[in-house]
Amino acid sequence: KNEVEQSPQNLTAQEGEFITINCSYSVGISALHWLQQHPGGGIVSLFMLSSGKKKHGRLIATINIQEKHSSLHITASHPRDSAVYICAVRSGETSGSRLTFGEGTQLTVNP
Amino acid sequence: DVKVTQSSRYLVKRTGEKVFLECVQDMDHENMFWYRQDPGLGLRLIYFSYDVKMKEKGDIPEGYSVSREKKERFSLILESASTNQTSMYLCASSLWGGAGGYTFGSGTRLTVV
């Protein structure tokens, strides 16, 4: 079993729909990251969370530390949101601060 | 605009060649990382460095080595490229402890033929 599990693996939506991507993890963490990867490979950091909820534009990220679960929501989805969304967790405060990644969720938003 | 720059977006090399992948960051970050990304496996850590001349093995270091002679530059070396090293390689950097998040490069898609 992976330490970080995402669901669903693939998600297809119509423009305007509300989208939720889930992430569950099995280790103690100091922070959880949501990343976005567009075709071509570059990865952009969307959120870093250690508790509660963060919002940026149409994106909302929540985390429940007790349940070891986080969700990424996209409101009023748009075709330009099509990308792979990756959940990653950082364990502890060691110098290396390694991230452990989920396998990603491929989101396709159709016009 | 702060960034992590990888020297090549696409690279094709022959089996047995020595391959250098270069990564440069301009944020004065202590930590630098090399990952490879393969379908169905996600991102896996090859090596990371938390200071100049310091390095630690990640989850899949076999067949790779790294060099960090200057704080801003972290090089990944494939000593003798093999076809199973065909992959997307991503470099990232962060401050000590990961505070402030991570910044990723655009990736290098390496094909070994």
Side-chain angles (χ1 to χ4, degrees):
Chain A
K1 190 179 189 300
N2 292 336
E3 290 182 344
V4 181
E5 300 239 342
Q6 285 184 238
S7 63
Q9 285 188 314
N10 294 281
L11 182 56
T12 300
Q14 289 300 121
E15 184 172 356
E17 285 185 7
F18 180 85
I19 288 162
T20 296
I21 299 169
N22 295 300
C23 176
S24 297
Y25 53 92
S26 57
V27 296
I29 67 168
S30 55
L32 181 142
H33 298 254
W34 281 102
L35 310 169
Q36 180 191 57
Q37 185 175 32
H38 279 283
I43 290 178
V44 174
S45 181
L46 297 174
F47 294 105
M48 182 172 66
L49 292 163
S50 54
S51 65
K53 176 179 172 178
K54 286 190 176 179
K55 184 175 189 292
H56 185 254
R58 294 180 294 106
L59 273 61
I60 303 165
T62 64
I63 189 168
N64 185 317
I65 297 293
Q66 287 73 30
E67 295 186 3
K68 294 187 174 170
H69 181 268
S70 175
S71 294
L72 176 69
H73 305 285
I74 305 175
T75 62
S77 60
H78 189 276
R80 65 174 174 267
D81 297 325
S82 298
V84 176
Y85 291 85
I86 302 170
C87 172
V89 300
R90 173 162 57 90
S91 301
E93 297 296 337
T94 61
S95 60
S97 302
R98 298 170 54 160
L99 290 177
T100 302
F101 296 86
E103 289 188 23
T105 296
Q106 173 69 63
L107 171 65
T108 302
V109 181
N110 294 317
Chain B
D1 190 24
V2 294
K3 59 186 177 184
V4 174
T5 303
Q6 293 184 229
S7 53
S8 305
R9 288 299 302 274
Y10 299 94
L11 212 51
V12 180
K13 295 292 182 181
R14 294 197 178 277
T15 301
E17 278 193 71
K18 190 168 186 175
V19 181
F20 292 86
L21 302 183
E22 304 287 345
C23 175
V24 178
Q25 51 96 2
D26 62 0
M27 295 163 284
D28 203 33
H29 282 173
E30 291 85 7
N31 297 331
M32 296 188 75
F33 307 83
W34 273 107
Y35 298 94
R36 65 176 281 178
Q37 185 180 30
D38 301 287
L41 297 175
L43 283 103
R44 293 179 292 166
L45 181 65
I46 304 172
Y47 267 98
F48 67 95
S49 168
Y50 53 89
D51 202 352
V52 174
K53 297 192 187 295
M54 305 302 289
K55 61 185 179 185
E56 288 195 23
K57 293 180 180 180
D59 299 318
I60 49 165
E62 296 79 19
Y64 303 94
S65 61
V66 290
S67 171
R68 193 165 181 201
E69 297 296 318
K70 294 185 178 181
K71 190 175 185 180
E72 67 270 19
R73 185 181 297 270
F74 191 36
S75 302
L76 179 70
I77 304 156
L78 286 66
E79 297 290 342
S80 177
S82 64
T83 54
N84 64 12
Q85 292 177 310
T86 292
S87 186
M88 168 70 88
Y89 290 87
L90 286 144
C91 176
S93 71
S94 76
L95 288 169
W96 182 274
Y102 295 74
T103 303
F104 286 82
S106 298
T108 296
R109 189 166 294 281
L110 172 68
T111 303
V112 182
V113 298

